[in-house]
Amino acid sequence: MRDVAVIGTGLIPFGKYPDKTLADLGWPAVKMAVKDADIAPAKIEAAYCGTALGGMMAGQRILGRVGLTGIPIVNVENACSSSSSALRQAVMAIRSGEYDVVLVIGVEKLTKFGGGTLPLEKEDWEVSQGLVMPALYAMRAQRYMHEYDLTPAQLALVSVKNRRNGALNPDAQMRKPVTVEEVLASRPIADPFTLLQCCPTGDGAAALILCEAKLARQYRSDPVRIAASDLTSGKYTPGFRDMTIPEITVRGAKEAYEEAGLGPQEIDVAEVHDAFSIAELLYYEAFGFCERGSAGAFIESGASAIDGKIAVNPSGGLLAKGHPIGATGAAQAVEIVRQLRGECGARQVPDAKVGLSHATGGGISGFDHGVCCIHIFTR
Amino acid sequence: MRDVAVIGTGLIPFGKYPDKTLADLGWPAVKMAVKDADIAPAKIEAAYCGTALGGMMAGQRILGRVGLTGIPIVNVENACSSSSSALRQAVMAIRSGEYDVVLVIGVEKLTKFGGGTLPLEKEDWEVSQGLVMPALYAMRAQRYMHEYDLTPAQLALVSVKNRRNGALNPDAQMRKPVTVEEVLASRPIADPFTLLQCCPTGDGAAALILCEAKLARQYRSDPVRIAASDLTSGKYTPGFRDMTIPEITVRGAKEAYEEAGLGPQEIDVAEVHDAFSIAELLYYEAFGFCERGSAGAFIESGASAIDGKIAVNPSGGLLAKGHPIGATGAAQAVEIVRQLRGECGARQVPDAKVGLSHATGGGISGFDHGVCCIHIFTR
């Protein structure tokens, strides 16, 4: 099977851009990735664009702005995993031999819906009765705290760490560090979550250029290899099993490690899906970064800080970098590639060689049906 | 490269189902395809679901109903080519060796938007000024009639033929045959189109099961081979070129014929994207079924009738079978497969050996950016 490498990354700072169109958001990220790869746009053979709520033909609208209209363009929707799923389609397309160079875009404009939780699909009766994302994750947090004596202060440390990292990231939406006391004193959202434990609403775009690995050095001397690309789905209806175990992430992690021939002990840096504070802790355990039930102690020890054992969410994660749904997976991959290249300045993870990105979600009307997409990168 | 065959087809009758959810629409088509393939659901390794306006996680919602939640599911959006693009992703995934058996779904519920033309993306200034789909195609029709002396009666023949075919198709939304006089006397929509020259609004779902060709005979004795799978995109802004030439279809047809090693003279049956009467005529020429400027004479001669030289839209096409956007590409493929198997009863094309499906569109806010997906099937 052919190998795939990343040769270009692009990202706009995440934030609120109510006056920009989806195309306005996307094309600068694409241009940056093209420039970063030092590639002629005509070499790009196909594009996959991930967006969850961007409407029809997002990729075509964006690429129309940069004159890349003649290539096959496919838009991919998989809730919070939209652009990581797009990345996986691009990986598969290059591995198959169909293309050598493929563009991946992630884009979302959430400000068009106003603030707060996302618009609901009426057909999901659980959501229509109030089981929106913050409530769902809050139930998981409650159960975890019941099972494992996680303290509210430990839970708040996720926001403290990720805000600290975000303050070092010029592309992050939230750049102000916060203390445990500030996190716990912020507005209650869904007990035990306060406002600062929920990812913000925002807009953003990210792009990557992928290339068949043998050709990659034509463009850059430091291509980053994609060692694993895994997509899983499954039910995660609360109640049908232990809601403190993110089953699809556990399964996906196992598959991704197998594909890469690597284990958690080899991961230097990870961008995981910290949509709410508890999420990051559950994923530490799902990825084997620490033992079951010990995630609170793990973060408290500093093990997941930038200079810790495994740097988790050095970008600031969803909590600080922001979470424009469809842009998230691509943006995570951009961060990992830049970390492995040593381009991350103040938030650089020392000597990062192996990185992991993880986007998982269930969609507006999809609490019943989760999706999880994991990539492992090596240099 | 590995070959891909279709082993199962499923379809619900297209129509208006305002009380059904997207999942309600989709799961019966999936079940029918599974039964048709005589395959154990556990053999299905992945699924691609095409929908343009179905909201987040359509595939997961549908497959949740039939217990197929653990497999990788990717939702694909490409306007009117959504499920044909999903079909192409499935073909690529099998060709690459990633999977042996893949499910394709196309689904849409347009009744949730009420009637008439689709909701608009505000960011497209042409659309917001009135250049909705009927208006765009009407301009093309006007220009074609100016250039080639196509008569209104010849134009109306597209609706007459497709309504005649639809009357023979129990799954068609419009099952009443109409005369040229009735077509021309129906309510004006966008000159020269009357109501009966515009595809109806409706809901629907279709599904296919694809299998690596060598394994296909384990399931069915009559697998239908996918000889070409092509996706193109491009601008089709009115005015920048001759709007009577559907450039992306012309380019896609050339690529698809090359991939299949076949030409228009070998096509027995085609499902082409007759969203409006003029469209079918333009596509006759784009596919080389007749000479440029002769499409009016071609249909008048009966060459595109079920018993003609090349049967076009024996299902009734978008004009009679209906056009639930995201379901259309998969439904076209279902029709072609069933025609090649000889299962089409009253609308069966005699001894059909080679078939073609063609879905093209530009999306709500994508007039500027077209997409075209073509498949060629052989038995």
Side-chain angles (χ1 to χ4, degrees):
Chain A
M1 196 164 64
R2 289 159 33 115
D3 250 353
V4 181
V6 180
I7 58 169
T9 65
L11 186 81
I12 65 165
F14 286 3
K16 300 202 178 192
Y17 302 101
D19 297 332
K20 287 188 187 290
T21 65
L22 204 74
D24 292 337
L25 298 173
W27 76 261
V30 172
K31 278 199 85 159
M32 189 186 295
V34 168
K35 194 176 169 192
D36 184 49
D38 193 19
I39 195 168
K43 290 275 185 185
I44 297 170
E45 296 165 90
Y48 289 88
C49 176
T51 188
L53 295 156
M56 281 164 72
M57 306 282 275
Q60 283 85 347
R61 283 185 271 157
I62 291 166
L63 295 180
R65 291 288 184 86
V66 288
L68 269 172
T69 51
I71 58 174
I73 303 168
V74 175
N75 300 291
V76 171
E77 188 283 309
N78 245 352
C80 299
S81 308
S82 291
S83 62
S84 47
S85 296
L87 173 59
R88 178 166 152 74
Q89 296 309 302
V91 169
M92 285 172 64
I94 294 177
R95 283 180 178 173
S96 77
E98 184 85 17
Y99 309 117
D100 288 329
V101 180
V102 178
L103 173 67
V104 177
I105 311 169
V107 67
E108 207 74 73
K109 185 184 168 186
L110 295 183
T111 53
K112 78 172 175 181
F113 301 108
T117 54
L118 291 170
L120 310 177
E121 284 281 336
K122 289 180 193 122
E123 70 181 66
D124 189 309
W125 63 267
E126 289 178 329
V127 174
S128 67
Q129 298 304 309
L131 196 55
V132 292
M133 278 288 173
L136 178 64
Y137 272 97
M139 287 165 67
R140 292 171 149 190
Q142 292 286 6
R143 185 73 202 178
Y144 189 98
M145 294 171 92
H146 170 77
E147 299 262 3
Y148 298 109
D149 297 326
L150 176 75
T151 67
Q154 286 173 321
L155 189 57
L157 279 176
V158 178
S159 302
V160 172
K161 171 181 71 68
N162 291 352
R163 281 291 195 108
R164 185 170 65 232
N165 296 351
L168 305 173
N169 181 1
D171 296 320
Q173 181 170 351
M174 299 298 185
R175 301 209 55 209
K176 187 175 163 290
V178 294
T179 63
V180 168
E181 294 67 33
E182 285 168 330
V183 172
L184 295 178
S186 62
R187 181 157 60 88
I189 299 295
D191 192 37
F193 299 147
T194 55
L195 182 67
L196 294 174
Q197 295 178 65
C198 307
C199 60
T201 296
D203 311 321
L208 298 128
I209 296 180
L210 269 54
C211 183
E212 192 279 324
K214 285 184 187 149
L215 300 173
R217 282 179 198 277
Q218 292 181 9
Y219 302 104
R220 281 194 71 114
S221 60
D222 58 356
V224 169
R225 179 171 173 262
I226 298 184
S229 176
D230 186 79
L231 176 64
T232 51
S233 64
K235 288 179 86 70
Y236 65 89
T237 308
F240 94 103
R241 56 160 174 70
D242 182 345
M243 69 173 76
T244 68
I245 299 176
E247 183 267 335
I248 50 177
T249 298
V250 171
R251 187 153 46 93
K254 186 169 173 293
E255 291 173 358
Y257 285 141
E258 271 176 23
E259 186 181 333
L262 296 166
Q265 66 288 349
E266 270 117 344
I267 305 297
D268 299 309
V269 53
E271 290 278 313
V272 307
H273 202 82
D274 60 323
F276 301 91
S277 52
I278 190 67
E280 182 169 310
L281 301 183
L282 298 180
Y283 302 138
Y284 289 167
E285 300 176 5
F287 281 108
F289 298 163
C290 68
E291 292 297 312
R292 179 111 180 93
S294 69
F298 188 76
I299 189 167
E300 203 164 36
S301 76
S304 55
I306 285 175
D307 59 354
K309 186 175 139 202
I310 299 176
V312 179
N313 288 323
S315 72
L318 281 58
L319 286 168
K321 189 188 56 192
H323 183 31
I325 314 284
T328 286
Q332 291 176 325
V334 166
E335 176 72 12
I336 295 297
V337 170
R338 291 178 176 181
Q339 288 284 352
L340 298 195
R341 287 180 184 168
E343 297 173 347
C344 289
R347 70 182 190 285
Q348 179 64 47
V349 176
D351 196 31
K353 289 191 180 72
V354 180
L356 177 153
S357 68
H358 163 253
T360 184
I364 294 170
S365 139
F367 289 152
D368 205 26
H369 313 102
V371 59
C372 176
C373 197
I374 297 167
H375 287 83
I376 297 177
F377 303 81
T378 60
R379 69 164 164 96
Chain B
M1 195 165 63
R2 292 161 30 118
D3 250 353
V4 181
V6 180
I7 57 169
T9 65
L11 187 81
I12 65 163
F14 286 3
K16 300 202 178 195
Y17 302 100
D19 297 332
K20 286 188 188 289
T21 65
L22 205 73
D24 291 338
L25 297 173
W27 77 260
V30 172
K31 277 199 86 159
M32 190 188 293
V34 169
K35 194 176 169 193
D36 184 50
D38 194 18
I39 195 169
K43 291 276 185 184
I44 297 170
E45 294 165 273
Y48 289 88
C49 176
T51 188
L53 296 156
M56 282 164 72
M57 305 281 276
Q60 284 85 347
R61 283 184 271 157
I62 291 166
L63 295 181
R65 290 290 183 87
V66 288
L68 268 171
T69 51
I71 58 173
I73 303 168
V74 175
N75 300 291
V76 171
E77 188 282 310
N78 246 351
C80 299
S81 307
S82 292
S83 61
S84 46
S85 296
L87 173 59
R88 178 166 153 74
Q89 295 309 303
V91 168
M92 287 172 65
I94 294 176
R95 284 181 178 171
S96 77
E98 185 86 17
Y99 309 116
D100 288 328
V101 180
V102 178
L103 173 67
V104 177
I105 311 169
V107 67
E108 206 75 72
K109 185 184 168 184
L110 295 182
T111 52
K112 78 173 174 180
F113 301 108
T117 53
L118 291 172
L120 309 178
E121 283 284 335
K122 289 179 194 125
E123 69 181 66
D124 190 309
W125 62 267
E126 290 179 327
V127 174
S128 66
Q129 298 304 309
L131 196 56
V132 291
M133 278 287 171
L136 178 64
Y137 272 96
M139 288 166 67
R140 292 171 147 191
Q142 292 285 6
R143 185 73 201 178
Y144 189 97
M145 293 172 92
H146 170 78
E147 299 261 3
Y148 299 110
D149 298 326
L150 176 76
T151 66
Q154 285 173 321
L155 189 58
L157 279 176
V158 177
S159 302
V160 173
K161 171 180 73 68
N162 291 352
R163 281 293 194 107
R164 186 171 65 231
N165 295 352
L168 304 174
N169 181 0
D171 295 321
Q173 182 170 350
M174 299 297 185
R175 301 210 55 207
K176 186 176 163 291
V178 294
T179 64
V180 167
E181 294 68 32
E182 286 168 329
V183 173
L184 295 177
S186 63
R187 181 157 61 88
I189 299 294
D191 192 38
F193 300 146
T194 55
L195 183 67
L196 294 174
Q197 294 178 63
C198 307
C199 61
T201 296
D203 312 321
L208 298 126
I209 295 178
L210 270 55
C211 183
E212 192 277 326
K214 284 183 187 149
L215 301 172
R217 284 179 197 275
Q218 292 181 10
Y219 302 105
R220 280 194 71 115
S221 60
D222 58 356
V224 168
R225 181 172 170 260
I226 298 184
S229 175
D230 186 80
L231 176 65
T232 52
S233 64
K235 289 179 84 70
Y236 64 91
T237 307
F240 93 104
R241 55 158 176 69
D242 182 347
M243 71 173 75
T244 68
I245 299 177
E247 183 268 334
I248 48 176
T249 297
V250 171
R251 186 152 47 91
K254 186 169 173 291
E255 291 172 358
Y257 285 142
E258 271 176 23
E259 186 181 335
L262 296 167
Q265 66 287 350
E266 271 117 343
I267 305 296
D268 299 310
V269 54
E271 290 278 314
V272 307
H273 203 82
D274 60 323
F276 301 91
S277 52
I278 190 66
E280 182 169 309
L281 301 183
L282 299 180
Y283 301 137
Y284 289 167
E285 300 176 5
F287 281 108
F289 298 163
C290 66
E291 292 297 311
R292 179 113 179 92
S294 70
F298 188 77
I299 189 167
E300 203 163 37
S301 75
S304 55
I306 285 175
D307 58 355
K309 186 176 139 203
I310 298 176
V312 179
N313 287 324
S315 72
L318 281 59
L319 287 168
K321 189 187 55 191
H323 182 32
I325 313 284
T328 286
Q332 291 176 324
V334 166
E335 176 71 12
I336 295 297
V337 170
R338 290 177 176 180
Q339 286 285 351
L340 298 196
R341 285 179 184 169
E343 298 173 346
C344 289
R347 70 181 191 285
Q348 178 65 46
V349 175
D351 196 31
K353 290 191 180 69
V354 181
L356 178 153
S357 68
H358 162 252
T360 184
I364 293 170
S365 138
F367 288 153
D368 207 26
H369 312 103
V371 59
C372 176
C373 197
I374 297 167
H375 287 84
I376 297 177
F377 304 82
T378 59
R379 68 165 164 99

